[in-house]
Amino acid sequence: MGGVRVVDAAGAAARDAEAIAAGIPSRALMQRAAAAAAGEIARRYAGVVRRGVAIYAGPGNNGGDAWAVARALAASGVPVRVASAAEPRTDDARFERELASHIPGDDGNGAPPLVVDGLLGTGARGEPRGEIAVAIERLERAREAGATVVSLDMPSGVDASTGGGGLAVHADLTLTFGTMKRGLLVARARAGRIAVLDIGLLPGADADASPTLVAAEWVRSATPPIPPDAHKGTRKRLVIVGGAPGMAGAAALAAQAALRSGIGMVRVLVAPESVGAAQCVVPEAVAHAWPEDDDAAHHVTADWADCLLIGPGLGDTTAARALVERLLRVWNGPTVLDADALNVFRGQLPLLGQLLAGRPALLTPHPAEAARLVNGEVSDVLARRFDLPSEMARSVRGAVLLKGIPTVIASPDGRSLVSAAGSAALAAAGSGDVLGGIAATLLAQGCDPTEAGAAAAWAHGRAGELAGRGGVRGATLADVLREVPTVWREPADPPAYPVLVELESAGAEA
């Protein structure tokens, strides 16, 4: 799978080094980045830049990018001033400053409508200090006064690997170069809208190991088509197991999401007390009570299903554990495990792998569920969100989808994908059940578990973005479900070059 790779700071530096070693001068990379960034700034803010742009340049190569952007904008007639926060420390940055020496300085006392942040780049570590800290504070005051802020590569003060940082720029738009940085996907509220710009980097020696960012075009190609002559059988059959007493809604949400994602038939297995509620909420589905023995389990699954989704509202009990084990004994086909189907195996990930062996399987934990599975802490899971899913996938011998923004999906063979789609509209109880229904549908229809998880995560996230566009406050999962069909019909036109991929702002909304 091609596409934009997701890297940490070391990975970004390695890509630059590989390009330079292959014969591309470092200044050529800097000038490509600056030309692409200046073009995007001029295109996106055509009515704003003519009223003046203030550019903040730091001491490193990010500052060199800033000087080169200033020169490119000035050459097109844009009124530009540059605030230099420190003397350039690299040869390339010094050269770009010399080329832009005719551009006047900026004392920070004006009120420019657009500000470009080129203070710190991917190599920056630790809390900003001295003149850089003063410049960030000045830049933030400009933003509070109404200026639009564009950051080059990273919002200054945000760690490119972790997304951490105290004093940092809050950008409206981040133009990052060649690759997507992990820190941008974690610090979405500070990054604003994110566009990855092509600067001619090589694929990279670690291309197979670096996660790939999921894009709309890939989701379209990975989603199995529904032919014109399809019937309910060819659209496949899904069994959803969950719905303990008082939790029938979880199984119902999963069923509704599956139906909105193209499944042909749904059977819901719930607690006896929940059968009526499940049937009422999802009349398109057939509801049964949980099977009480292997023969009954075989009858409602192996004799009928194309995929099992186990876990929505199942309950974290001894009886739930016994039910999961029974179903995995009699069913050896595609399986998605979520929620309580994972919680009942806390600390027993290898054992779960033994039960799942020989089938296409996808686990979809949120960070707390992942922590339970590996006997860890949620903070550790979040700190290792890009790497832990691969370790879990190898241990369980199945695909693992770690929920969140970003969502990371890994396969036992080392493939890894990252979906950054989503909004705070998805931060509600039951959201994972919706995701499970989408993923199980794609798995039933022929996707492999990793691709089913990645496409489902993106579609789920995109539905959340659409549902939250009028404001996240007040948006419900019913709104998200209504948008799921829209996601499958949206055109997947690639962005205009040099943009390789673009992510909407995920900042807070009222």
Side-chain angles (χ1 to χ4, degrees), residues 80-362:
V80 176
R81 292 181 177 272
V82 179
S84 181
E87 284 296 306
R89 296 175 188 164
T90 70
D91 289 341
D92 289 344
R94 281 190 284 269
F95 194 93
E96 292 301 331
R97 185 187 66 172
E98 287 303 313
L99 290 179
S101 60
H102 60 287
I103 296 175
D106 184 88
D107 59 9
N109 292 323
L114 192 143
V115 178
V116 176
D117 159 34
L119 292 168
L120 299 173
T122 56
R125 294 288 184 276
E127 190 75 6
R129 300 182 302 275
E131 293 181 41
I132 298 296
V134 171
I136 290 176
E137 290 170 346
R138 186 190 304 161
L139 195 153
E140 283 290 279
R141 286 196 296 272
R143 180 184 65 85
E144 291 166 1
T148 296
V149 176
V150 179
S151 287
L152 302 178
D153 220 13
M154 293 292 302
S156 294
V158 175
D159 189 283
S161 296
T162 68
L167 176 64
V169 169
H170 290 75
D172 297 289
L173 170 68
T174 298
L175 299 172
T176 196
F177 306 126
T179 55
M180 179 65 75
K181 283 66 183 181
R182 290 182 176 187
L184 290 175
L185 298 181
V186 176
R188 293 289 296 279
R190 286 175 167 171
R193 197 173 190 91
I194 305 170
V196 181
L197 306 183
D198 183 21
I199 60 171
L201 294 180
L202 302 176
D206 66 338
D208 292 336
S210 298
T212 302
L213 188 67
V214 177
E217 311 92 82
W218 177 83
V219 173
R220 296 295 182 274
S221 67
T223 303
I226 298 176
D229 61 348
H231 54 78
K232 61 186 179 182
T234 58
R235 288 172 62 171
K236 304 302 180 180
R237 296 173 291 193
L238 173 64
V239 171
I240 299 172
V241 186
M247 293 191 285
L253 284 169
Q256 290 171 332
L259 290 163
R260 284 167 168 78
S261 298
I263 199 69
M265 303 172 70
V266 178
R267 178 175 285 174
V268 181
L269 306 184
V270 295
E273 302 94 320
S274 300
V275 170
Q279 188 69 79
C280 181
V281 175
V282 193
E284 301 95 332
V286 176
H288 295 272
W290 290 330
E292 296 183 354
D293 55 44
D294 287 4
D295 287 343
H298 191 280
H299 175 70
V300 295
T301 59
D303 289 343
W304 189 84
D306 292 298
C307 181
L308 257 63
L309 166 58
I310 311 175
L314 183 65
D316 185 1
T317 65
T318 302
R321 167 71 177 258
L323 177 58
V324 176
E325 291 183 345
R326 172 178 296 129
L327 291 166
L328 294 181
R329 279 198 306 270
V330 304
W331 168 257
N332 198 40
T335 303
V336 178
L337 295 185
D338 184 36
D340 287 328
L342 301 174
N343 289 327
V344 296
F345 290 96
R346 53 176 40 83
Q348 296 180 307
L349 192 61
L351 173 60
L352 183 55
Q354 293 175 20
L355 292 170
L356 290 171
R359 82 190 70 209
L362 172 65

